[in-house]
């Protein structure tokens, strides 16, 4: 009663008017040639932006800070470009792996647009799910090869980029961003689409799409709680952030560059806050810990965003409220999963809810690993949250609450009465034709035009004649005498006829007719015709 199966909901999600895929307007080139062109375009624009920023910093900062001469500036810009893809490098006696996630926006946007352009230039031959995969590979392979060459070219005795990380991370970033751009362009050619996530959901199977919706909702709650924690803590420690800024004394250009770096590290700080809400917290150096169980810190680098760290000792009591965020994320994730696609069996719904929590834990572990990393050698070799601890606790906390929420949501959906089938809408009857307008008599404009006369049907003056009675013949009279006398039937009186008055509208200025002039008999009425005296 009121149950909706997976297949039925999947059919509803895929129904709709489909538009033909756009055909290329120009000459069609091979796919991998388009991929190479798109990769060169993304690398060139990305390097141009970072070289400009690096050159401005090189002018404002000491000459040796960002390299010796213009070749050194170019190597530094290439290293920044590799860092924007999350490829680490070695500097002096340690390795730098704590990289800003905010810089991923620049190559991500460029690769997203390039993926859409490639699939549009390929035309109808690539208008399928497999075509999206081909476009992603065609863009990622040359992009990763160019990144490896740039890593080798930017290597110096002091700074050595990791070539294998450059190949791996650039390939993944190009494949994901370019694939999403191609998927959005493909779906947009068939209908209206608002975001890349909506395009991805239309290409995925129904059940996979429901899991993506649930995981996205759960991650939004976790990251939102982390952002609230970071913002509240930074507001409480604003005086310490101001003191560290005064210690750096960056100047005008340095302040702008410092603001850019702080914004680039903002996603890392949000993920650290989410790790605190999940439970394990994070570390700022070996032997340190910032979690709900307590705060243990040593010396911290001078960086204004690090002023948001709580003071050593017990965790702030207000921050313990954030520990409810994983359970709230599980409730929202399980509810969204079942609302997107309910299931027939009551015992299957909790399994799908727990699968949502497990996938959320996996994504949280990846984000925790990307947000942290070494910051040199010795004690600062351990910075950030532990990926496996964050992933495990997130999978358990989010998974259990998501399983309960999924079961309850699916049970409520199954108990709903089935909606009656929609009645066919009858076709609209054509509108009746407008009635013809009554004819109006033309106006008399001439001075000698006689007035029109209206006549009514005249009633006869004389009554109709009665039929004369026929005299009986002698033979009939003899028969009548011998026959029995019959009672004569009384004749019925004739019905009075309706008397109508004869009216003759005359103009106001004309005198009443007298006996002069010619006459005319019309329907039993006698009319006197007179000429107009104005004649």
């Amino acid at each position: 009663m009121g149950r909706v199966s997976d297949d039925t909901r999947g059919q509803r999600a895929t129904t709709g008017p489909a538009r033909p895929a756009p055909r290329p307007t120009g000459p069609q080139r091979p796919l991998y040639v388009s991929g190479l062109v798109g990769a060169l375009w993304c690398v060139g624009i990305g390097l141009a932006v970072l070289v400009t920023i690096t050159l401005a910093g090189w002018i404002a900062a000491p000459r040796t800070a960002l390299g010796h001469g213009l070749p050194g500036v170019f190597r530094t810009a290439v290293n920044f470009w590799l860092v924007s893809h999350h490829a680490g490098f070695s500097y002096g006696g340690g390795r730098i792996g704590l990289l800003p996630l905010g810089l991923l926006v620049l190559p991500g946007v460029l690769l997203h647009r390039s993926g859409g352009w490639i699939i549009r230039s390929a035309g109808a031959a690539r208008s399928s799910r497999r075509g999206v995969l081909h476009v992603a590979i065609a863009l990622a392979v040359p992009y990763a090869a160019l990144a490896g060459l740039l890593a080798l070219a930017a290597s110096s005795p002091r700074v050595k980029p990791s070539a294998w990380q450059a190949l791996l991370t650039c390939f993944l970033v190009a494949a994901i961003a370019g694939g999403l751009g191609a998927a959005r362009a493909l779906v947009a050619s068939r209908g209206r689409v608002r975001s890349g996530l909506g395009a991805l959901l239309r290409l995925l199977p129904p059940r996979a799409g429901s899991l993506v919706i649930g995981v996205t909702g759960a991650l939004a709650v976790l990251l939102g709680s982390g952002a609230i924690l970071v913002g509240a803590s930074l507001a409480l420690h604003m005086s310490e952030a101001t003191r560290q800024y005064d210690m750096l004394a960056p100047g005008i250009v340095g302040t702008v560059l410092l603001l850019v770096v702080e914004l680039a590290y903002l996603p890392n700080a949000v993920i650290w806050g989410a790790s605190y809400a999940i439970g394990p917290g994070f570390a700022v150096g070996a032997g340190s810990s910032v979690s709900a169980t307590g705060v243990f810190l040593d010396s911290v680098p001078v960086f204004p965003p690090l002023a948001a760290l709580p003071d050593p000792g017990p965790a702030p009591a207000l921050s313990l409220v954030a520990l409810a965020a994983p359970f709230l994320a599980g409730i929202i994730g399980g509810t969204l999963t079942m609302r997107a696609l309910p299931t027939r069996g009551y015992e299957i719904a909790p399994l799908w809810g727990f699968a949502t929590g497990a996938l959320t834990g996996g994504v949280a572990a990846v984000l925790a690993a990307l947000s942290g990393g070494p910051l040199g050698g010795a004690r600062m070799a351990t910075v950030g949250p532990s990926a496996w601890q964050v992933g495990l606790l997130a999978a358990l906390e989010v998974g259990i609450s998501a399983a309960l929420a999924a079961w309850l949501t699916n049970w409520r959906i199954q108990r709903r009465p089935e909606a009656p089938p929609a009645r066919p809408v009858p076709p609209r009857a054509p509108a009746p034709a407008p009635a013809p307008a009554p004819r109006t008599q033309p106006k008399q404009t001439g001075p000698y035009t006689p007035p029109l006369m209206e006549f009514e049907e005249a009633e006869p003056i004389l009554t109709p004649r009665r039929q004369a009675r026929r005299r009986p013949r002698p033979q009939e009279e003899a028969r009548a005498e011998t026959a029995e006398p019959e009672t004569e039937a009384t004749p019925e009186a004739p019905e009075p006829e309706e008397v109508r008055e004869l009216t003759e509208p005359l103009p106001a200025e004309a005198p009443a007719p007298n006996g002069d002039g010619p006459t005319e008999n019309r329907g039993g009425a006698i009319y006197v015709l007179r000429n107009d005296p104005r004649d």
Side-chain angles (χ1 to χ4, degrees), residues 89-480:
F89 59 92
S90 300
Y91 181 81
R95 178 174 170 271
I96 306 298
L98 182 60
L99 307 175
L101 292 176
L103 291 180
L104 281 170
V105 176
L106 176 61
V109 171
L110 295 175
L111 291 166
H112 186 274
R113 293 183 62 85
S114 180
W117 170 77
I118 292 173
I119 198 169
R120 283 193 296 268
S121 63
R126 303 291 175 184
S127 300
S128 62
R129 299 178 183 177
R130 187 174 298 178
V132 173
L133 181 61
H134 291 170
V135 168
I137 295 176
L139 178 62
V141 170
Y143 193 83
L146 292 173
L149 294 176
L150 288 174
L152 295 176
S155 181
S156 66
R158 297 182 60 186
V159 179
K160 294 182 179 180
S162 176
W164 71 269
Q165 284 191 5
L167 288 172
L168 179 62
T169 57
C170 291
F171 179 84
L172 293 177
V173 171
I176 294 173
L180 289 177
R184 189 182 188 281
L186 175 60
V187 177
S189 65
R190 301 176 180 177
R192 186 178 180 182
V193 63
R194 297 182 178 180
S195 63
L197 181 60
L200 180 63
L201 293 178
R202 293 190 182 185
L203 294 178
L204 290 176
R207 178 51 65 187
S210 68
L211 291 175
V212 170
I213 293 174
V215 171
T216 303
L219 285 176
V221 175
L222 291 177
L223 296 178
S225 63
I228 293 174
L229 277 176
V230 172
S233 182
L234 188 59
L236 293 175
H237 298 84
M238 186 58 67
S239 59
E240 179 64 21
T242 305
R243 188 183 67 83
Q244 294 186 13
Y245 176 81
D246 294 337
M247 291 175 59
L248 294 174
I252 299 177
V253 179
T255 300
V256 176
L257 296 177
L258 181 61
L259 180 61
V260 172
V261 174
E262 290 174 353
L263 292 177
Y265 274 103
L266 183 60
N268 300 59
V270 170
I271 296 173
W272 288 13
S275 302
Y276 183 93
I278 292 172
F282 54 92
V284 189
S288 63
S289 175
V290 180
S291 63
T293 58
V295 180
F296 305 93
L297 288 175
D298 202 346
S299 60
V300 178
V302 179
F303 188 52
L306 293 179
L309 294 174
D311 299 329
L318 189 60
S319 65
L320 299 179
V321 181
L323 296 178
F327 302 99
L328 179 61
I331 293 174
I332 293 179
T335 303
L336 291 177
T337 301
M338 284 296 104
R339 286 179 65 88
L341 185 61
T343 182
R344 288 181 177 273
Y346 291 102
E347 68 281 358
I348 304 298
L351 297 180
W352 289 121
F354 190 80
T356 302
L359 292 175
T360 304
V363 177
V366 173
L367 293 178
L370 294 176
S371 66
L375 196 60
R379 193 180 65 85
M380 298 303 293
T382 305
V383 180
S386 174
W388 72 269
Q389 292 180 4
V390 171
L392 180 61
L393 286 181
L396 293 176
E397 295 172 353
V398 178
I400 294 174
S401 56
L404 296 176
W407 176 83
L408 180 61
T409 303
N410 188 71
W411 176 75
R412 293 181 61 184
I413 292 176
Q414 298 298 332
R415 286 179 60 87
R416 291 177 183 175
E418 188 174 0
R423 297 181 179 179
V425 180
R428 294 184 177 181
R439 297 181 179 179
T440 56
Q441 297 180 357
K443 296 183 180 180
Q444 302 175 8
T445 55
Y448 302 105
T449 304
L452 299 177
M453 302 178 65
E454 296 182 0
F455 298 94
E456 294 185 4
E457 184 180 358
E459 184 173 344
I461 299 176
L462 302 178
T463 59
R465 296 180 180 180
R466 294 184 180 179
Q467 238 177 1
R469 297 182 63 180
R470 185 171 59 88
R471 289 186 179 184
R473 295 178 181 180
Q475 297 177 359
E476 293 178 357
E477 292 179 359
R479 290 178 186 174

Side-chain angles (χ1 to χ4, degrees), residues 472-496:
R473 295 178 181 180
Q475 297 177 359
E476 293 178 357
E477 292 179 359
R479 290 178 186 174
E481 291 177 0
T482 58
E484 296 180 0
E486 295 181 359
T487 57
E488 293 184 359
T490 58
E492 296 180 1
E495 296 182 358

